[in-house]
Amino acid sequence: MEVNNVTLEAVCGNVNQFPQSNLNEIAFVGKSNVGKSSLINTLINRKSLARTSSQPGKTQTINFYNIEDKLYFVDLPGYGFAKVSKRERERWGKFIETYLTTRNQLKQIVLLVDIRHEPNNNDKMMYNWICHYKFDVIVVATKLDKIKKSQIQKHISIIRKKLEMDSNHMIIPFSAQTKQGKEEIWKNFERWVIN
């Protein structure tokens, strides 16, 4: 899809602030600092509309990006960041879960994992949760440029094994630096989400 017009339409700290719209939504989930904002910026051809930060746990809101008035990208707070209080983590967890379980417009979930590392228990829990609720899922393995080409298949099979992935679910290796994986991710969105 050609993307020229994108707006950050809503920054939501609670469910009452979610946009009232019938546009389909694609949610991006992953642990803190896995590269959600970088992926979103790459997909929408922007340098910094989605704010990236080297400080984990920075995104504490659910952010809705309107893409060409055709769909929303929904950036969820990163999970598994230890430096916020337990109470705050629980609040985020409930907030994210409310969005994921009540939003009829949500059509697809993109789970981001760092290709360099084995998925952790939080990643596994999130993957299982997505499958339990029968959402269409794509796993995007970020930071592809940080490993050698010869290592890619090995790392992908480690992710697949650790998450105990359904053989029908795809993993797309992605690099925000080289843009590798961008076209494949868009093709997948167009197949499932964009009418």
Side-chain angles (χ1 to χ4, degrees):
M1 184 167 103
E2 197 168 314
V3 180
N4 297 306
N5 299 304
V6 181
T7 52
L8 173 54
E9 195 166 293
V11 175
C12 308
N14 64 61
V15 292
N16 302 327
Q17 297 172 319
F18 292 161
Q20 300 304 307
S21 161
N22 294 321
L23 292 181
N24 287 341
E25 294 172 5
I26 299 170
F28 294 79
V29 298
K31 62 184 168 225
S32 295
N33 258 30
V34 75
K36 287 190 303 300
S37 300
S38 297
L39 172 60
I40 290 170
N41 283 327
T42 301
L43 292 172
I44 61 177
N45 305 316
R46 296 290 190 282
K47 282 215 164 27
S48 59
L49 187 60
R51 289 193 192 88
T52 58
S53 170
S54 57
Q55 192 183 338
K58 196 78 179 153
T59 305
Q60 299 180 18
T61 51
I62 294 181
N63 300 336
F64 287 77
Y65 296 90
N66 183 322
I67 316 294
E68 297 287 342
D69 283 325
K70 290 186 177 169
L71 76 151
Y72 284 109
F73 281 176
V74 184
D75 187 9
L76 300 175
Y79 53 73
F81 178 58
K83 279 196 180 157
V84 293
S85 71
K86 184 168 184 270
R87 198 165 142 209
E88 190 65 10
R89 276 205 310 275
E90 283 169 3
R91 190 184 73 76
W92 285 0
K94 283 197 181 76
F95 182 37
I96 293 166
E97 190 167 359
T98 302
Y99 166 76
L100 292 171
T101 52
T102 62
R103 200 74 179 158
N104 295 330
Q105 300 91 321
L106 179 59
K107 301 300 176 201
Q108 190 168 46
I109 298 176
V110 179
L111 173 62
L112 286 81
V113 295
D114 186 327
I115 198 164
R116 299 170 299 177
H117 308 297
E118 271 192 15
N120 65 17
N121 289 340
N122 286 330
D123 297 320
K124 176 92 176 87
M125 258 166 42
M126 182 54 82
Y127 177 78
N128 289 343
W129 188 95
I130 295 166
C131 294
H132 172 77
Y133 283 100
K134 302 199 169 26
F135 281 108
D136 182 44
V137 62
I138 309 174
V139 175
V140 171
T142 61
K143 309 188 193 244
L144 176 63
D145 49 284
K146 306 272 196 243
I147 63 169
K148 292 185 178 134
K149 278 200 169 93
S150 59
Q151 297 289 299
I152 295 171
Q153 284 315 313
K154 179 185 146 197
H155 284 261
I156 284 180
S157 57
I158 289 169
I159 292 167
R160 197 169 269 290
K161 191 174 171 192
K162 188 78 179 168
L163 292 178
E164 295 173 17
M165 280 180 72
D166 182 307
S167 58
N168 296 318
H169 292 162
M170 63 168 42
I171 297 181
I172 301 176
F174 170 77
S175 164
Q177 300 298 318
T178 67
K179 315 280 188 275
Q180 188 177 334
K182 175 184 172 181
E183 294 305 318
E184 199 180 343
I185 294 167
W186 264 119
K187 273 187 193 136
N188 204 279
F189 291 166
E190 286 166 355
R191 201 168 112 220
W192 293 104
V193 179
I194 303 162
N195 304 330

